[in-house]
Amino acid sequence: MTLQKTMTGRAWAEMLLLALIWGGSFLSIRIALDEVAPLTSVAHRTGWAMLVLWAVVIAMRLPIPRNPQIWVGFLGMGLLNNVIPFGLMAWGQLHIETGLTSILNAATAIFGVIAAALFFADERITPRKGIGVALGFFGVATAIGLENFRSFDLRSLAQLAIIAGTISYALAGVWARRMLGGLAPQVAAAGMLSGSTLITLPMAWIIDGPITLALQTDTMLAIGYYALIATAGAYLLYYRVLAMAGSGNLMLVTLLIAPVAITLGAVVRGETLSANAFAGFALLALGLMILDGRIWTLIRGRAVDRPRPPG
């Protein structure tokens, strides 16, 4: 019997931190897009993060992989987890509503669980996992506003771009576990960003024009956040959670990102949370508790401890 991957308390804590970091990236990316083109924004994101992570690898004196297969894995991971989704979603954010973008991005968890179940015996879809993911997804949708679904149009290229990005994210989780398993998180993240930079830098230069640092202060700060914190720092957590919980469970982080973004909007920009938002948080919390499984253990434990009537 194959032991199933589960979410430990430590994995949940690190996933929550990852969601907090990535939740703030939507705002920073949108600020940067006011001045730089989508591919250029991706090149900034992967390039600066790559330099930081290789500096970390060298400082920690971690061994650099020499196996060509691993470097093929880096290139594929960079394509699936950076180039495709970063580029498509950055372009999509310019053309569709933020609420709808967040709803579609949360679908990564759905595609992630399905992809993991197709490729790994220890990440099969159980009834509990299916119910939990469904509740979490509808929680995100409710928090943002179910009325946003009325704007969904399969003919919209922007919306299709976001969906394609979520599928790419899901496949990246599978690719990382299969091709990069056993590597130190720092090395895996640096190698992945190297692969993505090798692709995005020439593409951005050819399509968008020469990359310049003569940018406004707000743009530079936004790039600094999403490159150094939301990419370099976040991917160190990404690979740690992947090793602990598996690719399907890792994709559940996308269910947490949208509520984090809503909360940040309320705190930083003074936006008021609606009743729908709180209802969405409740549904999301219930979905996560079902996925975690501890709520069922608690219920069963109480049922066992409950005294039975005589006779």
Side-chain angles (χ1 to χ4, degrees):
M1 180 178 177
T2 305
L3 185 64
Q4 295 295 299
K5 289 281 187 178
T6 58
M7 289 292 292
T8 64
R10 182 173 181 176
W12 275 118
E14 294 194 9
M15 183 180 288
L16 178 59
L17 178 58
L18 187 60
L20 289 171
I21 293 172
W22 274 341
S25 66
F26 282 98
L27 177 61
S28 63
I29 291 170
R30 190 61 189 84
I31 291 173
L33 289 173
D34 287 335
E35 189 173 2
V36 299
L39 278 177
T40 299
S41 73
V42 176
H44 275 297
R45 183 173 188 175
T46 61
W48 297 118
M50 175 194 68
L51 294 177
V52 169
L53 287 177
W54 278 123
V56 171
V57 169
I58 293 172
M60 296 181 67
R61 297 182 178 179
L62 297 173
I64 298 176
R66 299 183 183 277
N67 187 339
Q69 183 177 352
I70 292 179
W71 284 92
V72 171
F74 288 153
L75 191 63
M77 189 62 180
L79 183 66
L80 290 171
N81 206 56
N82 294 156
V83 179
I84 294 175
F86 287 177
L88 290 176
M89 291 187 175
W91 179 80
Q93 280 185 267
L94 292 174
H95 302 284
I96 65 175
E97 302 87 345
T98 300
L100 185 55
T101 300
S102 300
I103 291 174
L104 295 175
N105 182 67
T108 302
I110 308 298
F111 294 126
V113 169
I114 294 172
L118 290 174
F119 288 95
F120 302 119
D122 61 352
E123 295 196 53
R124 68 177 185 271
I125 298 178
T126 62
R128 175 174 60 79
K129 183 178 288 188
I131 293 171
V133 169
L135 279 172
F137 179 79
F138 283 114
V140 172
T142 301
I144 297 171
L146 292 173
E147 66 275 5
N148 282 300
F149 280 116
R150 298 173 186 172
S151 301
F152 185 79
D153 183 355
L154 286 175
R155 292 171 295 182
S156 167
L157 290 178
Q159 293 172 18
L160 289 175
I162 300 297
I163 292 174
T166 65
I167 295 174
S168 187
Y169 273 138
L171 294 175
V174 173
W175 180 274
R177 187 179 171 197
R178 173 157 291 182
M179 299 292 291
L180 304 178
L183 290 178
Q186 299 87 345
V187 175
M192 173 193 67
L193 289 165
S194 297
S196 56
T197 302
L198 286 173
I199 299 171
T200 57
L201 191 58
M203 285 179 60
W205 198 283
I206 293 170
I207 296 174
D208 296 340
I211 297 175
T212 178
L213 294 179
L215 302 169
Q216 296 180 10
T217 301
D218 288 350
T219 303
M220 292 297 292
L221 289 174
I223 290 173
Y225 176 82
Y226 71 65
L228 305 182
I229 298 176
T231 303
Y235 275 126
L236 296 179
L237 283 174
Y238 176 94
Y239 282 101
R240 284 173 57 86
V241 177
L242 177 68
M244 287 188 286
S247 61
N249 287 325
L250 175 60
M251 291 301 102
L252 300 176
V253 70
T254 59
L255 295 175
L256 297 170
I257 291 173
V260 169
I262 293 171
T263 303
L264 287 175
V267 174
V268 177
R269 303 174 63 186
E271 298 173 353
T272 302
L273 288 176
S274 65
N276 283 345
F278 290 106
F281 281 133
L283 277 173
L284 177 58
L286 178 60
L288 292 175
M289 285 189 290
I290 290 174
L291 284 167
D292 186 40
R294 297 178 193 182
I295 187 172
W296 302 117
T297 302
L298 179 62
I299 293 173
R300 286 198 300 268
R302 288 182 177 179
V304 171
D305 294 339
R306 186 180 302 160
R308 297 180 179 179

